[in-house]
Amino acid sequence: MRTRLFGFRFVEVAVVMAMSAALVPTGASANGDPGCETTGGVSAPSITHALVLFGGPGSDWYTYKSANHTFGGGTPGINGLAINGNAGFPNYSTSFDAQGATNYIIGGYTGVRPTANNGSWYEFDFPYTQQEWIEYAAALADAAEADPAAYSNVRVYRPNGGTVTITNDGPDYPSPPNQPLHVVVGEGTVFTTQGQNDKTDGAIIAPEAKVDVDKQISHVDGFVVAAQFIESYAGPNLNNTGLQVHGQSPDAFVDVPGECVSTTTTTTTTTPTTTTTTTPTT
């Protein structure tokens, strides 16, 4: 519509103006908190054996070599041994209560294989995956180093192909809430607690490393997950040292929660407005 007034005409012009942007959270909860995606979480792997060995990358023929005569008894459901490789046993008879567990040696062995009372032996289908334990050890170590207060019973070691010695193991015979969990990331050799009769009371997770029991320590109270387990203190003839692996599971053996990452979507809205432009008439 045109209107003449004092020699001018008014032209109605619609102009799109006032661009406005709003951040709209996706997955927002009812109270307005932003949603998030959980990334990086790692569950604690399942374990049913007191000793789990994946085999070492080196030239050592033995994955397991020890005079140990006890596998389990510390935590119900964690008994026996699973060896993905060759084993060296003493040249005398030993036995242990397997409490119904199937025990594994995926390889050969020397010496006299222990009698698994209330259990059995199997030579195929190793029930554990090394990569799963490698990823868990790395995630738990990172979490414990980032927040020591939240993982007060986790001890972290990074041998980088060298050697480390278990420290800060705590008092003998700890209860699961107070029991250390020694986590070893990467390859190398882990020596157990030093000193005669100084027991190793924590559990050990070292899926790429060799655990070397080089002193008379009586027992490892927790379970052991490693590439190799060698009791060098027993000597080449594997003399009886009284070693036992009790297989107790500490409360520090927990899932590693993922990081909650907020996700947002940028939504652009436009608001149409009308302005009046005055132009001179001709």
Side-chain angles (χ1 to χ4, degrees), residues 50-126:
L51 186 65
V52 177
L53 303 176
F54 296 108
S59 59
D60 193 339
W61 188 82
Y62 291 106
T63 295
Y64 170 87
K65 190 176 182 181
S66 173
N68 180 27
H69 62 81
T70 298
F71 303 91
T75 294
I78 300 181
N79 298 283
L81 63 162
I83 302 171
N84 190 26
N86 301 314
F89 299 109
N91 290 318
Y92 50 85
S93 298
T94 59
S95 63
F96 65 96
D97 186 359
Q99 300 187 35
T102 299
N103 303 275
Y104 297 84
I105 300 179
I106 315 299
Y109 65 87
T110 60
V112 180
R113 189 182 69 181
T115 299
N117 296 323
N118 302 310
S120 59
W121 288 98
Y122 205 61
E123 299 176 354
F124 306 96
D125 301 328
F126 189 71

Side-chain angles (χ1 to χ4, degrees), residues 112-113 161 174 200 206 267 282:
V112 180
R113 189 182 69 181
T200 297
T267 303
T282 58

Side-chain angles (χ1 to χ4, degrees), residues 77-237:
I78 300 181
N79 298 283
L81 63 162
I83 302 171
N84 190 26
N86 301 314
F89 299 109
N91 290 318
Y92 50 85
S93 298
T94 59
S95 63
F96 65 96
D97 186 359
Q99 300 187 35
T102 299
N103 303 275
Y104 297 84
I105 300 179
I106 315 299
Y109 65 87
T110 60
V112 180
R113 189 182 69 181
T115 299
N117 296 323
N118 302 310
S120 59
W121 288 98
Y122 205 61
E123 299 176 354
F124 306 96
D125 301 328
F126 189 71
Y128 297 92
T129 302
Q130 185 181 26
Q131 187 60 36
E132 180 183 20
W133 285 89
I134 291 173
E135 293 174 1
Y136 175 72
L140 183 58
D142 289 346
E145 289 176 331
D147 189 357
Y151 299 89
S152 58
N153 286 330
V154 175
R155 317 285 187 252
V156 178
Y157 309 82
R158 300 182 185 271
N160 295 317
T163 62
V164 293
T165 300
I166 287 176
T167 58
N168 196 16
D169 189 51
D172 291 340
Y173 305 107
S175 60
N178 300 315
Q179 186 176 23
L181 178 59
H182 302 285
V183 180
V184 183
V185 179
E187 297 180 5
T189 298
V190 183
F191 293 108
T192 52
T193 42
Q194 297 187 28
Q196 187 174 8
N197 298 317
D198 183 9
K199 304 171 181 62
T200 297
D201 296 288
I204 301 172
I205 297 177
E208 298 179 273
K210 175 172 70 175
V211 174
D212 189 338
V213 182
D214 66 329
K215 298 289 189 294
Q216 183 178 358
I217 62 173
S218 178
H219 69 244
V220 178
D221 207 29
F223 61 75
V224 177
V225 176
Q228 294 172 279
F229 185 93
I230 306 295
E231 188 187 6
S232 60
Y233 179 79
N237 297 321

